[in-house]
Amino acid sequence: MIKNISVIGAGTMGHGIANVFAMYGYKVSMYDRNKKNHENVIDEIKSELEFMAEEKYIDKELINLTLSNIKIFSSLKETIENADYVIETISEDIKSKQELFNQLDKICPIHTILSSNTSSLSLSEITKDISIERKKRVMICHWYNPAHLMPIIELSYFGNMSEDIFLDVYALYISIEKQPIKVKKDIPGMIANRLLHALAREVFHLIETGAASSEDVEKALKYGPGFRSATTGILESADLGGLDIWCAVEDNLFKELNNSDKACDLMKQKIKEGCLGLKTDEGFFKYPKDKKEKIRKDFFRRLIIQLKASKNY
């Protein structure tokens, strides 16, 4: 049974992952070699918990209880020596992940399950140098950002581990009210990111070709397919609408859709100009410095509203 969780990496994803496990009563050990992340992670988690309490998503009493379940360590060995389950969230660099997994293999108890939050790197490549026995207890476990609010968890089931071990991990995520899906094929992007970027390719293409403004493309998505997709998937929508109708539309439309095999030139130009989005005050939209925190909180608030609604669905 999985009880003790270790999270390696306390940055964008790691702190949110630790937050969720701790909020549901698991003991979480954390480590990050980046001094800034190491020093700031508890304050960041506390801030997110306080916002969740303000939005009436959790009780205020849960804040201190959650924080008491998290311990920050200054060494990797201390962080993982009693771990039942380890999830790494370090940078998407294959060599760094290989080195980390080699260390984890040597230090962790025999029973420990190791997982990576990657969605773009191959599990077999990440773990190619670890022991044969440990390879039976490794997996990809991909969270979506922000980790403390997005329900989806993508779990790899590529044939290297037994069904019993997989089901233990699956049950772990059910216990923290996530929505795990089994990914049965080792493909770049797993499932959710492939769906996301297939849609994103057409979104960027529509803006780049002047079909509509950025604002109206966003509106079309939010109040069209995105609005329905929050409760009804594509396959169910096709069934409800009629497969004959969907087939006819796709035969007419698919040849007109963008099929580029690279990121759009408009995005590359914005990157060249230093317009990276919220973190640089401008991307496809502008983000005034004095409103950035409000924009971020409004984003979190919308996700919390969806979470509340999904619990009643």
Side-chain angles (χ1 to χ4, degrees):
M1 184 178 180
I2 299 172
K3 293 183 178 179
N4 298 317
I5 311 292
S6 292
V7 179
I8 311 303
T12 301
M13 297 299 293
H15 80 274
I17 292 170
N19 183 347
V20 176
F21 279 121
M23 194 164 61
Y24 283 84
Y26 289 93
K27 297 299 181 183
V28 180
S29 302
M30 292 194 75
Y31 169 77
D32 195 312
R33 63 184 180 183
N34 181 299
K35 185 178 179 181
K36 184 178 179 181
N37 289 343
H38 179 91
E39 292 175 347
N40 295 340
V41 61
I42 292 297
D43 287 340
E44 192 158 2
I45 292 172
K46 183 179 179 183
S47 175
E48 289 174 348
L49 288 166
E50 288 173 343
F51 184 73
M52 293 166 79
E54 288 172 14
E55 293 299 313
K56 305 286 192 293
Y57 185 69
I58 63 170
D59 293 330
K60 288 184 179 180
E61 292 74 18
L62 192 57
I63 297 174
N64 288 334
L65 183 59
T66 298
L67 295 175
S68 71
N69 285 329
I70 301 173
K71 190 169 183 180
I72 313 299
F73 290 90
S74 56
S75 78
L76 179 64
K77 183 177 180 180
E78 288 180 296
T79 309
I80 62 178
E81 59 186 0
N82 295 313
D84 298 315
Y85 181 75
V86 176
I87 179 164
E88 67 80 11
T89 68
I90 66 173
S91 61
E92 285 287 275
D93 175 74
I94 188 65
K95 289 187 177 180
S96 298
K97 289 186 186 292
Q98 287 171 341
E99 290 173 4
L100 176 59
F101 269 77
N102 292 345
Q103 289 179 285
L104 295 174
D105 181 28
K106 292 179 175 67
I107 302 172
C108 286
I110 295 173
H111 75 277
T112 306
I113 300 168
L114 308 182
S115 69
S116 172
N117 185 55
T118 186
S119 69
S120 63
L121 298 175
S122 166
L123 180 65
S124 59
E125 279 298 303
I126 292 172
T127 62
K128 70 183 184 72
D129 296 323
I130 68 174
S131 64
I132 294 174
E133 283 305 307
R134 184 72 72 182
K135 286 182 179 179
K136 298 175 183 177
R137 307 183 75 84
V138 297
M139 68 192 307
I140 290 174
C141 172
H142 179 232
W143 296 57
Y144 245 50
N145 187 37
H148 66 295
L149 296 177
M150 293 294 288
I152 188 175
I153 303 292
E154 296 181 299
L155 302 177
S156 69
Y157 190 58
F158 297 159
N160 61 299
M161 65 166 45
S162 70
E163 185 176 20
D164 286 345
I165 295 174
F166 178 84
L167 290 177
D168 281 346
V169 177
Y170 194 96
L172 171 69
Y173 284 102
I174 292 295
S175 75
I176 60 172
E177 297 191 71
K178 292 297 184 181
Q179 295 289 338
I181 65 170
K182 181 193 290 187
V183 181
K184 298 187 287 184
K185 189 174 182 180
D186 192 355
I187 52 176
M190 304 288 275
I191 305 300
N193 268 350
R194 291 176 76 98
L195 297 173
L196 171 66
H197 289 285
L199 175 61
R201 178 169 59 185
E202 189 62 29
V203 166
F204 299 142
H205 175 70
L206 289 169
I207 295 168
E208 192 171 44
T209 57
S213 67
S214 298
E215 290 81 3
D216 280 343
V217 171
E218 293 282 80
K219 189 185 292 185
L221 178 59
K222 287 193 292 186
Y223 299 108
F227 190 87
R228 183 172 60 196
S229 293
T231 59
T232 311
I234 292 291
L235 301 179
E236 185 181 0
S237 292
D239 279 349
L240 292 172
L243 298 185
D244 54 335
I245 296 172
W246 275 63
C247 185
V249 170
E250 291 184 355
D251 276 341
N252 292 328
L253 187 59
F254 274 8
K255 61 181 178 289
E256 304 293 338
L257 297 180
N258 182 261
N259 63 358
S260 175
D261 62 357
K262 60 182 180 65
C264 74
D265 291 337
L266 175 59
M267 187 186 298
K268 291 180 179 180
Q269 181 61 34
K270 285 187 174 293
I271 293 170
K272 186 178 179 180
E273 294 169 354
C275 299
L276 307 181
L278 183 69
K279 59 186 175 183
T280 59
D281 307 333
E282 183 176 350
F284 286 102
F285 302 104
K286 292 184 178 180
Y287 305 96
K289 281 185 170 57
D290 61 339
K291 295 182 179 178
K292 285 168 72 170
E293 185 59 25
K294 181 180 183 302
I295 290 169
R296 191 185 303 276
K297 285 188 174 182
D298 284 345
F299 170 55
F300 287 166
R301 184 175 292 110
R302 293 196 298 270
L303 292 178
I304 288 174
I305 290 169
Q306 287 180 246
L307 271 175
K308 289 177 180 178
S310 68
K311 287 179 181 294
N312 298 320
Y313 176 69

